[in-house]
Amino acid sequence: MVETKKDVLSEETKTSPRDRRRFPRPPKVGSEESQAPSVLKPLLFSTHDLEPEAQFAAWRAYMTPVVDTRLPDNAPRETEFAADHTAWNLGGMLIVEHSALAHSYMRSQAKVKADLIDHWHVSVLRSGRTWTEVDGYVSEGEPGKVELRSLGHPFRGRSTDAETLSLFLPRALLSDAPAAIEIKNNTALSGTFTQLLIEYLDSIVANLPNFIATDLPHVVQTVRGMIWAGAAASAAQSADTEHHSTLALMERVRRFVERNLVASDLTVEQICRELGMSRTRLYQVFEQDGGVHHYIQRRRLLSAHAALSDPSNRQQILDIAYAVGFSSAAHFSRAFSKEFGYSPREARNLISQPYLGRPFPLSQDDEGAHSFEEWLRTLGHSR
């Protein structure tokens, strides 16, 4: 039998791969997976439709939950500032794509103390350059690197015109890394594992509109594992002096505290003994945080606030206080009210509190019920 040109084209069409993606595979037509609706909806912000003199003020206000921004010193205040920001909430992490013109940024000590955001910020530059300083050490960002930075510590820097892919991950997500892995603040990862991570993140972004609910936990856990792998590879190439730097030591303490937060016997003595450091050194490391006692108490209060704000958690307030390491109901109530400005009972009863638990990610029909700031503040705190 002689094949016609039409038959050959038809056969080629059947066997040709279409729109191949690294993760996940496109669902087959007619399968149950193809009928499942996407659970992700982007949160969009842009200055392009604003008057040029209003653009930077709008961008600065939008970014306030994370950093305070400024125009370059030589730029007129009324200069136009084209910027775009697209955020996706995967429940256990936020993915953000944004582009902006040159500017400087700062997360001050006052901002760190004033708000309750203590996440990891993972940054991948697609174009442009950044220079970020933490405690006198400057990390230079450029395409091909992955930068890790803690929002629980002050930093400042500047950026050229740039396009960036960012992740925001709750601190607890990386706190249980294997003992051999140091997740260091203000570090730039590079190398083979880092390139694999960047490629995987690009693949995730390409598939965001297609994900169904069951995909999301696997995506978050895979990203965590790849960050650990990149951090481990970078640590192996680091000098010993860097390994024992103040920032690395601070992250070791933060991880230890996170793992032992519910232990009532979590003390300075235990931290020093387990991590092999002196009390003087520990106090020096946490001086800017108001001391190690204040840091431990603040983390416990944040954990309690998350539980109280979770509508599915019906534990008694006293039980929650004991569960996060407080031994006195009166002490817990006083400390909670001082930290947040309202009582534990009000945190549970008032639906307007910013830590109110809600199911994330949001569904397609949940119009207008969220903001980027709310996503940041509830990240890792919803159950």
Side-chain angles (χ1 to χ4, degrees), residues 131-344:
W131 295 265
T132 307
E133 182 263 326
V134 177
D135 288 350
Y137 174 77
V138 177
S139 173
E140 183 173 349
E142 59 186 2
K145 290 183 178 180
V146 173
E147 290 190 284
L148 278 72
R149 192 160 296 114
S150 171
L151 297 184
H153 197 87
F155 60 82
R156 63 179 181 176
R158 62 184 179 91
S159 171
T160 65
D161 298 357
E163 296 180 346
T164 308
L165 172 64
S166 292
L167 307 180
F168 293 89
L169 302 98
R171 177 167 293 278
L173 188 65
L174 298 181
S175 65
D176 58 345
I181 298 176
E182 291 281 2
I183 306 295
K184 301 176 185 177
N185 186 19
N186 201 39
T187 57
L189 309 181
S190 60
T192 303
F193 283 106
T194 300
Q195 288 303 316
L196 290 174
L197 173 59
I198 293 173
E199 291 179 12
Y200 183 66
L201 293 177
D202 286 340
S203 178
I204 291 173
V205 171
N207 283 278
L208 283 169
N210 304 325
F211 284 129
I212 60 175
T214 53
D215 293 329
L216 305 184
H218 300 293
V219 171
V220 173
Q221 293 303 313
T222 301
V223 169
R224 178 178 70 166
M226 295 186 79
I227 291 174
W228 284 351
S234 295
Q237 301 171 2
S238 299
D240 288 343
T241 53
E242 181 186 356
H243 181 78
H244 295 290
S245 68
T246 298
L247 292 178
L249 184 58
M250 177 177 286
E251 287 309 319
R252 289 178 62 204
V253 177
R254 288 178 187 264
R255 284 173 54 191
F256 183 82
V257 169
E258 204 71 36
R259 288 171 174 169
N260 297 276
L261 200 58
V262 300
S264 59
D265 60 346
L266 179 60
T267 62
V268 169
E269 290 74 18
Q270 183 190 17
I271 295 173
C272 293
R273 182 173 62 252
E274 294 293 332
L275 300 184
M277 58 190 301
S278 68
R279 292 172 63 99
T280 301
R281 180 61 171 146
L282 181 62
Y283 290 142
Q284 287 175 344
V285 168
F286 281 87
E287 184 177 0
Q288 287 189 323
D289 288 285
V292 66
H293 289 291
H294 180 265
Y295 176 77
I296 293 172
Q297 178 169 286
R298 190 166 189 261
R299 297 307 303 169
R300 283 175 166 162
L301 291 171
L302 286 170
S303 181
H305 201 314
L308 290 168
S309 302
D310 182 356
S312 67
N313 188 329
R314 305 318 305 165
Q315 284 181 288
Q316 296 294 318
I317 293 176
L318 184 59
D319 293 334
I320 290 175
Y322 290 154
V324 298
F326 284 88
S327 57
S328 163
H331 179 211
F332 170 70
S333 182
R334 285 194 303 270
F336 191 98
S337 299
K338 181 178 180 180
E339 182 71 31
F340 300 110
Y342 42 86
S343 70

Side-chain angles (χ1 to χ4, degrees), residues 15 71 81 140 143 210 250 352 362 383:
T15 57
L71 288 169
F81 193 86
E140 183 173 349
N210 304 325
M250 177 177 286
S352 61
L362 299 168
R383 298 291 186 267

Side-chain angles (χ1 to χ4, degrees), residues 65 107 111-119 151-152 170-171 258 298-313 336 339-344 346-360 371-383:
R107 185 165 177 83
K111 182 178 284 291
V112 170
K113 289 184 177 180
D115 69 30
L116 306 176
I117 299 172
D118 191 29
H119 309 317
L151 297 184
R171 177 167 293 278
E258 204 71 36
R298 190 166 189 261
R299 297 307 303 169
R300 283 175 166 162
L301 291 171
L302 286 170
S303 181
H305 201 314
L308 290 168
S309 302
D310 182 356
S312 67
N313 188 329
F336 191 98
E339 182 71 31
F340 300 110
Y342 42 86
S343 70
E346 288 174 313
R348 165 157 282 175
N349 295 335
L350 296 181
I351 63 172
S352 61
Q353 296 302 336
Y355 265 78
L356 177 66
R358 57 180 297 126
F360 285 112
S371 69
F372 182 56
E373 180 174 3
E374 183 185 4
W375 278 7
L376 283 170
R377 293 189 180 281
T378 53
L379 179 63
H381 294 158
S382 52
R383 298 291 186 267

Side-chain angles (χ1 to χ4, degrees), residues 98-117:
H98 80 264
S99 62
L101 299 182
H103 63 282
S104 63
Y105 49 86
M106 173 182 287
R107 185 165 177 83
S108 65
Q109 183 67 37
K111 182 178 284 291
V112 170
K113 289 184 177 180
D115 69 30
L116 306 176
I117 299 172

